[in-house]
Amino acid sequence: MKPPSEIRLRPGKRVLFLTKNPELIRKQLRGELDLLMKDLRLEDLLDDINTDAMTPAWVCFDHKPEDLARNAYAGLIVDGKRLFEQDALINGNFEVIVSGYRKGVGSSRETATQAEVWCGIRIAIAASFAPIHAGNNINQGLLMGDHHILRRLQAGEGIPLEEFTKGHDPITQLIIKEGGLFPFAKALEKGEIELPTPNTPKRPMTMGEKILAGHARGGVKYVRPGDAVVVDVDGGYTHEFTTAQVHYFLEQEYGPHYAIKNPQKFAVFEDHLIYADDVARMHPFIPKIEVLRKLQHDFQQHTSCRDFSATDNISPGICHEVAREVIVDPGDFIQATDSHTCMGGVNNALAWGVGTTEYANLVHSGFTMVEVSESIRFELVGRLRANVTAKDVMLYILLTYAKPQRTLDRIMEFTGPGLRTLSMDERATLANMATECSARTAVIEADDETFQWLAAMRPGVDVDALRARAVSPDPGAEYAGGVHIIDLSEIRPMVAHPGDPDHGIPSDPTNGAYIDEIGDVKIDIAYAGSCTAGKIDDFLFYHQVAKEAVDAGLRVANGVTFYIQFGSQAVEKFARDNGLLDTFERAGAIVLNPGCGACIGCGPGVSENPNQVTVSAINRNYKGRSGPGKLWLASPLSVAASAFTGQITAYTPGMFARRDELVSKE
Ligand code: SF4
């Protein structure tokens, strides 16, 4: 529905403040308290509300927005209990919801926005929004404003709609004015809207700008940050969590005989829920999961898109890992319904996650609308120490650049001689975790290693054709986020700690700390896998540590379960062919088939109670995402070392040869 030209609070409707003090939220939900922004400080409000908290994975098993909205904010847990009981948000009669910084970090799930919208929320107020979440809000017609606007609204002022569109590019302004992406797309189809075309003159461009300019319609040759462009999409994919909604939305908007433009460029994956049947706490949801699986199958049959379904219940792999292996080409512009789509940036592509509405719209039309983001560049120099990996580099960047929001909504570009010392799998970790930085995405500069890797992964591929598509930054390209030199030799083994979410310190990947400064942290679970850390080189890291431990006569520490999960079938084949599995077996580790699993709370390796401590090689530690316990993020080397020592430990080459020291420490 189109928003009115002047926005006012409606009589009888309420404003919900998501405060750090949970009791204030409870009182508002019970209807006992109504707050005013003028009586609060920004620091009283919750920061970093992640989309897992807004709609945890199990809520997303409902694909209809009206159903999933009943469990809005089910993931906000305090002292082991839901802060929002079922229907609490919808019954509260709220139309505005208020929080602090970085609303909507984490997963790209549009269900987080849908949960609010279908509960009657029409305005979200925050100091800043994570980019994918902001896009989902716009596409669903949810207005966004800051705390100053709220103060004026609560004072009875009417705010012109233009204040809600201010700062957005011209096309996004049109989408907001139409009330969301589908109404906008229909108005466009009917010729009711004329799209503006930027006329940016010749200028040096970053890698991201070059890819967008190369895909732009309307004769655009150069772009700059803030330009709004209509761009062709080279490819994309969905998985079991998202395909059903895409299918449902397309049927609703365009009827049962809808078609998509280039089915051979798009794919479906069976990876996220592959292990759901084996997890006890998932059993109540199996009927809903079966519906998601069936609707994904129906979508694939209906559209004839590429099919990466499981065979005999074995997934081909995690979508992002398989996509970089066989789908994403250098220079591509890729859109998929998952926040770690950015991992495709390792192949020198521009790739990011979008919500289901945006995806449905772009597969239907073949193009999408993009506002060109600013860029931030990281020039890597030096070489990593033997006990440090790309994961430590990202934990360092998260702490140093993402926490103060320097990467927010920017395209992170990685270049420099240090980059060339990293393998493609390690570079993939850099690209993968751009979304944890709340960045738009990441692009990795290509070199010979890029093309050799692609040739090895795709026998028979035309490497020269791929090389011709690659982009490099122009000399003089502008980086609004700055150019930062990172000396890899200075990086030390790091973790991200689980915070104290019950007391306002969120579990967040930006909670960086040096392992040698955290003291003794005993663990119950070590998890080695996910799209970030289920690659071939990650397996070589796990094996390096496990082999040293096994050779020293060690097994996984008493009381610790060590799970190792492949990112794809190609990774599994490598591990089998090279004898890695024998070492893992001798170490007492549990090796799992490819898939997402514990990372999304749907597989072996999830914690079962709040007292359990996990050290994990995955990319995000949001509360509750991988079970109720405390989750520390660490590198593949540190996770494997910790599995054998029983506490969070940085790996040191040869450390297990000094068993006497370890034993005396125990
Ligand atoms: S492994 Fe985890 S982060 Fe990666 S795609 Fe799967 S659920 Fe998402």
Side-chain angles (χ1 to χ4, degrees):
M1 195 170 47
K2 270 191 184 185
S5 56
E6 186 182 77
I7 308 297
R8 287 181 180 278
L9 296 187
R10 291 179 296 197
K13 289 288 180 183
R14 302 173 63 211
V15 179
L16 175 63
F17 290 81
L18 299 173
T19 51
K20 285 182 180 148
N21 180 346
E23 197 45 41
L24 295 183
I25 297 179
R26 285 195 192 98
K27 283 186 175 169
Q28 292 176 84
L29 292 176
R30 291 198 297 260
E32 298 165 6
L33 179 69
D34 284 291
L35 293 165
L36 292 172
M37 191 64 227
K38 69 181 176 62
D39 299 329
L40 291 166
R41 299 164 308 161
L42 185 51
E43 51 268 40
D44 295 327
L45 298 167
L46 276 176
D47 298 322
D48 298 295
I49 296 176
N50 69 74
T51 51
D52 280 73
M54 297 166 79
T55 48
W58 63 267
V59 172
C60 307
F61 295 147
D62 280 313
H63 67 282
K64 294 184 180 171
E66 60 270 33
D67 294 335
L68 63 89
R70 299 188 62 199
N71 285 301
Y73 283 91
L76 273 190
I77 306 288
V78 175
D79 297 329
K81 287 174 65 177
R82 276 173 69 166
L83 204 49
F84 286 67
E85 293 298 340
Q86 186 165 304
D87 295 323
L89 186 61
I90 199 165
N91 288 343
N93 202 24
F94 300 105
E95 64 172 348
V96 181
I97 195 159
V98 191
S99 57
Y101 286 98
R102 296 174 294 272
K103 167 93 176 280
V105 291
S107 156
S108 61
R109 62 190 68 167
E110 189 182 291
T111 52
T113 297
Q114 293 161 8
E116 291 187 339
V117 170
W118 264 262
C119 283
I121 302 292
R122 62 188 185 110
I123 307 172
I125 299 287
S128 58
F129 294 86
I132 298 176
H133 183 65
N136 289 335
N137 288 346
I138 290 163
N139 292 336
Q140 283 293 340
L142 181 62
L143 297 174
M144 289 177 285
D146 62 20
H147 302 93
H148 179 60
I149 279 185
L150 178 60
R151 267 187 221 105
R152 291 163 59 203
L153 284 169
Q154 287 193 307
E157 199 180 321
I159 311 279
L161 182 60
E162 280 66 33
E163 292 208 30
F164 291 89
T165 61
K166 202 166 61 186
H168 291 290
D169 68 81
I171 296 179
T172 302
Q173 290 188 5
L174 289 171
I175 297 172
I176 295 171
K177 286 179 181 166
E178 287 297 320
L181 187 58
F182 280 133
F184 165 84
K186 289 193 169 155
L188 190 63
E189 227 171 358
K190 286 186 205 152
E192 295 169 4
I193 293 176
E194 203 173 311
L195 292 182
T197 307
N199 56 358
T200 298
K202 185 171 181 179
R203 66 188 287 272
M205 291 192 288
T206 66
M207 290 191 278
E209 289 163 358
K210 277 187 172 178
I211 293 174
L212 286 175
H215 287 75
R217 292 185 169 188
V220 172
K221 291 214 164 32
Y222 298 92
V223 295
R224 62 159 38 100
D227 281 354
V229 279
V230 178
V231 284
D232 290 316
V233 180
D234 289 312
Y237 46 92
T238 53
H239 51 66
E240 313 100 300
F241 261 123
T242 54
T243 310
Q245 266 206 343
V246 171
H247 188 45
Y248 179 65
F249 286 171
L250 284 169
E251 280 187 334
Q252 289 220 314
E253 295 296 325
Y254 300 105
H257 303 298
Y258 77 83
I260 69 172
K261 271 282 185 306
N262 300 302
Q264 73 287 355
K265 292 184 174 182
F266 296 94
V268 293
F269 280 88
E270 203 170 350
D271 55 357
H272 277 62
L273 300 174
I274 196 77
Y275 266 103
D277 304 61
D278 298 339
V279 178
R281 64 194 183 101
M282 287 296 131
H283 287 172
F285 306 110
I286 294 300
K288 289 181 179 178
I289 291 171
E290 283 301 334
V291 171
L292 295 184
R293 289 171 176 152
K294 180 188 176 307
L295 287 173
Q296 171 154 300
H297 177 74
D298 290 352
F299 174 79
Q300 193 281 322
Q301 294 287 302
H302 181 92
T303 62
S304 302
C305 68
R306 294 180 74 177
D307 189 8
F308 292 89
S309 294
T311 307
D312 297 331
N313 213 28
I314 308 282
S315 168
I318 301 168
C319 52
H320 312 305
E321 173 61 18
V322 177
R324 79 181 183 106
E325 290 169 3
V326 298
I327 293 178
V328 182
D329 287 343
D332 267 358
F333 179 55
I334 300 289
Q335 304 269 268
T337 56
D338 193 281
S339 58
H340 289 101
T341 305
C342 51
M343 188 168 172
V346 66
N347 289 4
N348 191 242
L350 193 68
W352 65 70
V354 292
T356 43
T357 299
E358 195 166 345
Y359 189 84
N361 193 63
L362 70 88
V363 290
H364 184 256
S365 66
F367 62 85
T368 193
M369 281 67 64
V370 168
E371 179 180 358
V372 180
S373 297
E374 295 176 343
S375 296
I376 179 171
R377 180 155 149 186
F378 296 95
E379 271 186 32
L380 307 185
V381 300
R383 184 178 282 274
L384 291 174
R385 300 178 201 179
N387 65 344
V388 176
T389 74
K391 179 64 167 289
D392 300 291
V393 178
M394 284 315 289
L395 291 174
Y396 169 80
I397 288 176
L398 278 155
L399 174 66
T400 312
Y401 297 96
K403 205 175 187 78
Q405 302 202 97
R406 295 167 76 175
T407 50
L408 181 66
D409 205 13
R410 290 184 166 135
I411 297 171
M412 300 169 72
E413 295 199 350
F414 289 89
T415 62
L419 180 68
R420 293 193 278 279
T421 69
L422 301 178
S423 69
M424 281 295 281
D425 283 358
E426 283 285 81
R427 299 175 194 182
T429 299
L430 305 180
N432 178 286
M433 292 186 72
T435 191
E436 275 66 46
C437 297
S438 296
R440 170 57 73 182
T441 187
V443 188
I444 311 285
E445 191 168 25
D447 63 4
D448 284 346
E449 171 77 12
T450 311
F451 303 106
Q452 281 167 20
W453 184 87
L454 286 166
M457 281 292 163
R458 306 174 192 178
V461 75
D462 182 348
V463 174
D464 289 339
L466 293 180
R467 199 182 291 272
R469 294 173 55 91
V471 292
S472 291
D474 287 330
E478 287 172 25
Y479 292 87
V483 178
H484 307 277
I485 295 175
I486 295 180
D487 185 347
L488 297 179
S489 67
E490 298 281 319
I491 305 289
R492 291 153 54 197
M494 290 187 74
V495 288
H497 64 75
D500 187 3
D502 287 356
H503 300 95
I505 306 171
S507 302
D508 196 274
T510 61
N511 292 342
Y514 291 105
I515 292 185
D516 56 15
E517 295 175 359
I518 61 173
D520 292 348
V521 180
K522 293 214 173 301
I523 60 161
D524 304 287
I525 299 167
Y527 178 82
S530 81
C531 53
T532 335
K535 304 173 255 85
I536 286 174
D537 280 18
D538 300 312
F539 270 70
L540 291 172
F541 288 136
Y542 304 136
H543 185 260
Q544 177 183 341
V545 180
K547 175 110 180 38
E548 283 188 27
V550 166
D551 287 349
L554 292 177
R555 283 174 63 84
V556 172
N558 282 340
V560 174
T561 315
F562 184 21
Y563 297 94
I564 307 178
Q565 186 161 21
F566 306 110
S568 72
Q569 287 189 5
V571 177
E572 177 171 2
K573 182 173 184 320
F574 174 89
R576 281 191 194 287
D577 291 352
N578 290 277
L580 274 49
L581 301 191
D582 175 55
T583 307
F584 297 144
E585 193 180 313
R586 284 164 57 210
I590 297 171
V591 178
L592 301 167
N593 289 326
C596 295
C599 179
I600 191 77
C602 284
V606 292
S607 57
E608 296 297 335
N609 67 66
N611 299 322
Q612 281 185 310
V613 177
T614 300
V615 64
S616 178
I618 65 175
N619 41 33
R620 45 181 56 153
N621 56 346
Y622 302 133
K623 184 181 175 186
R625 179 179 168 89
S626 193
K630 292 186 171 49
L631 192 142
W632 297 67
L633 302 178
S635 78
L637 286 173
S638 301
V639 166
S642 306
F644 293 96
T645 62
Q647 60 186 38
I648 296 179
T649 307
Y651 166 70
T652 311
M655 63 188 286
F656 298 115
R658 304 189 303 272
R659 283 182 68 194
D660 293 349
E661 274 177 41
L662 282 171
V663 171
S664 65
K665 198 172 176 187
E666 284 167 9

